Amino acid sequence: MSNFENHKRFMLLAQKYSLSNLGHTFPNPSVGCYIVDYKKNKKGKIVSFGKTGKNGRPHAEEVALKKAGKKAKGCTMYVTLEPCNHKSKNLSCTNQIIKSEIKKIFIAKIDPDKRTNKKSIKKFINKKITVNLGLTKEITENTNRYFFQSIKKNRPYVKIKMAISKDKKIAWSDYSSKWISNSKSRKYSHKLRFLSQSILTSSKTILKDNPRFTIRKNNKIIKYIPIIIIDQNLKIPLKSKLLKNLDKKNIIIFTNKIGKKFNKLNLLGCKMIYTNKMNNEGRLDLKEIMKKIYSFKINDILVEAGGIFLSNLLKNKLVDEMHIFQAPFNIGPNGKPMIYPILSNFNINKLHFKEITKKNFGKDVYHHFLVKNN
């Protein structure tokens, strides 16, 4: 095995380990780290490893260094993202690495966070620590694309989840259908929720479907994540399933209406956000709302709503990824469409959809797109 192949092997182990906490580290990225000793073995002996903890702390490097202790001296570190340079309860990861007397460090991807960006690398070089950049960079970019894109765009990374018919309808004309997708598709949908930081929906979706938006496994609730509701005229019914057991949930409602209902929802435990920022069509300004959501340290959103809401997100170039579950039957011309180009007054052809996954869940076809906003 060549030196390159050996280094790649350990970096791939770090990448694989980072995946085991994916969906738990928000708002931080999920990072993996391995510390390897080459002093007595040319192929390297693993001394310790770590991954980002739940809710983003402790960092992967901190975990690995704590496990290694004094054994880290003279070793090589493999880490999937540039170690942090900003202050924390303990020393920054960069200063902890320097203090440990690590001899060499492989970093897959530079951290775009201004507090760290290339600063850690400069510190390592100044302290005579050998730095190698870019090995398995693409894996880090893919694993934590929500993190990199949210920093770049200064808003949350937005994913769409939607079930459609063969003729691209999301419901019958009277909304009589509860489910379009099959049980296998719905099971995967819960996995998408599990890997997301929050869910964004509209009051119309709550009125029509009365969803719970829970994350379930074997019909048991395993996780609650923040639910964000766009409710311009405050139409959400107080008896909605979503408003039950509010002590376990974090419900955020954006509205343009203040009154008794606003105060009631506030007393129930909902986080009420009044906004008078409107777009030219008289709707709440979604771009401004996204900025506000980002200020709450929410950088990853799964949207579960209807065609009008999706159309407005697309029009405002606020969609980064789409998960579409297509059933094998037609609903017909009177069904509710997936996209409303006339209402939203935009040309969907200006958006570039790159399909990165296509597979079957029973007779349903699952399409996973990345959206490039031109």
Side-chain angles (χ1 to χ4, degrees):
M1 184 182 288
S2 68
N3 285 340
F4 173 79
E5 288 172 336
N6 200 51
H7 294 315
K8 188 175 181 179
R9 177 169 67 94
F10 287 121
M11 188 61 94
L12 287 173
L13 284 172
Q15 293 285 8
K16 186 178 180 181
Y17 197 46
S18 75
L19 291 172
S20 60
N21 244 1
L22 193 62
H24 291 292
T25 66
F26 297 116
N28 290 349
S30 186
V31 175
C33 176
Y34 267 66
I35 295 175
V36 178
D37 188 351
Y38 286 98
K39 293 189 287 289
K40 294 180 181 179
N41 187 336
K42 288 183 179 180
K43 290 184 178 179
K45 181 183 177 182
I46 296 171
V47 174
S48 67
F49 46 87
K51 61 184 175 182
T52 309
K54 291 187 177 181
N55 301 316
R57 291 284 181 174
H59 288 177
E61 307 93 310
E62 192 173 1
V63 174
L65 287 169
K66 189 175 180 180
K67 286 180 183 176
K70 293 180 180 179
K71 292 179 182 178
K73 184 177 179 180
C75 288
T76 298
M77 177 180 279
Y78 299 85
V79 64
T80 60
L81 185 68
E82 181 181 4
C84 76
N85 184 57
H86 37 278
K87 293 178 182 178
S88 62
K89 190 188 294 184
N90 303 314
L91 293 171
S92 67
C93 287
T94 297
N95 287 337
Q96 288 184 53
I97 291 164
I98 292 168
K99 189 178 178 182
S100 74
E101 298 185 68
I102 285 283
K103 185 181 178 181
K104 190 173 186 178
I105 184 166
F106 283 77
I107 300 169
K109 169 81 175 173
I110 293 169
D111 189 343
D113 190 321
K114 291 178 181 179
R115 297 171 296 175
T116 292
N117 187 253
K118 298 179 184 177
K119 293 173 185 175
S120 299
I121 294 164
K122 288 177 183 177
K123 274 190 178 182
F124 293 141
I125 293 169
N126 288 337
K127 293 294 181 179
K128 310 299 181 187
I129 297 172
T130 304
V131 178
N132 183 290
L133 289 174
L135 190 59
T136 71
K137 172 186 173 182
E138 296 80 9
I139 299 175
T140 297
E141 288 175 338
N142 184 54
T143 300
N144 294 295
R145 55 185 178 269
Y146 69 88
F147 175 74
F148 298 115
Q149 287 295 322
S150 64
I151 288 177
K152 181 180 177 181
K153 297 181 178 180
N154 197 35
R155 65 160 174 81
Y157 185 81
V158 177
K159 303 170 292 188
I160 302 295
K161 180 179 80 67
M162 188 172 276
I164 65 172
S165 61
K166 193 176 180 180
D167 54 349
K168 299 180 182 178
K169 299 295 194 298
I170 61 168
W172 276 260
S173 57
D174 59 356
Y175 293 95
S176 59
S177 173
K178 185 177 181 182
W179 287 314
I180 290 176
S181 58
N182 63 32
S183 59
K184 290 181 179 178
S185 292
R186 294 196 298 274
K187 185 177 179 181
Y188 191 76
S189 293
H190 279 277
K191 184 179 179 181
L192 292 176
R193 284 182 184 175
F194 184 84
L195 293 174
S196 300
Q197 187 180 6
S198 60
I199 292 171
L200 175 65
T201 192
S202 66
S203 56
K204 186 175 181 180
T205 297
I206 294 166
L207 283 164
K208 297 294 182 184
D209 299 339
N210 197 17
R212 291 182 291 168
F213 288 132
T214 52
I215 300 172
R216 302 183 297 277
K217 188 175 182 180
N218 299 325
N219 290 322
K220 289 185 179 180
I221 297 172
I222 58 171
K223 187 180 179 183
Y224 290 99
I225 59 176
I227 310 296
I228 305 162
I229 305 164
I230 309 298
D231 191 358
Q232 182 166 330
N233 296 311
L234 221 50
K235 293 181 177 180
I236 182 173
L238 293 173
K239 292 184 179 180
S240 301
K241 289 178 182 177
L242 199 58
L243 296 181
K244 292 180 180 178
N245 303 318
L246 276 174
D247 56 317
K248 297 177 182 177
K249 300 174 184 176
N250 181 8
I251 306 289
I252 303 168
I253 301 176
F254 284 86
T255 186
N256 185 238
K257 194 168 185 178
I258 291 181
K260 289 182 180 179
K261 197 170 185 181
F262 184 102
N263 294 330
K264 273 188 177 182
L265 287 163
N266 190 47
L267 286 170
L268 282 172
C270 296
K271 185 171 186 175
M272 304 300 295
I273 310 293
Y274 170 79
T275 176
N276 57 6
K277 299 278 186 179
M278 313 294 282
N279 63 20
N280 294 332
E281 297 169 350
R283 293 190 178 94
L284 295 181
D285 191 318
L286 291 175
K287 288 183 178 179
E288 288 297 321
I289 286 173
M290 288 295 179
K291 286 180 185 177
K292 187 68 176 177
I293 293 170
Y294 191 53
S295 74
F296 298 149
K297 294 188 176 180
I298 294 175
N299 58 5
D300 179 90
I301 287 174
L302 182 67
V303 177
E304 299 194 38
I308 293 175
F309 194 65
L310 169 59
S311 300
N312 281 308
L313 287 171
L314 287 168
K315 179 187 174 184
N316 284 282
K317 297 182 179 181
L318 293 172
V319 177
D320 300 294
E321 190 171 317
M322 296 181 73
H323 299 266
I324 307 297
F325 300 86
Q326 192 163 25
F329 55 83
N330 291 324
I331 286 179
N334 293 326
K336 301 296 180 181
M338 172 185 176
I339 295 171
Y340 288 75
I342 297 173
L343 288 176
S344 296
N345 190 27
F346 78 100
N347 185 357
I348 195 168
N349 294 322
K350 289 184 178 180
L351 300 177
H352 176 65
F353 296 84
K354 180 183 178 183
E355 187 167 45
I356 59 173
T357 307
K358 182 180 179 180
K359 60 183 177 181
N360 290 84
F361 290 113
K363 292 184 179 180
D364 288 355
V365 181
Y366 165 67
H367 303 271
H368 180 190
F369 298 98
L370 293 183
V371 183
K372 184 178 179 182
N373 298 299
N374 296 322

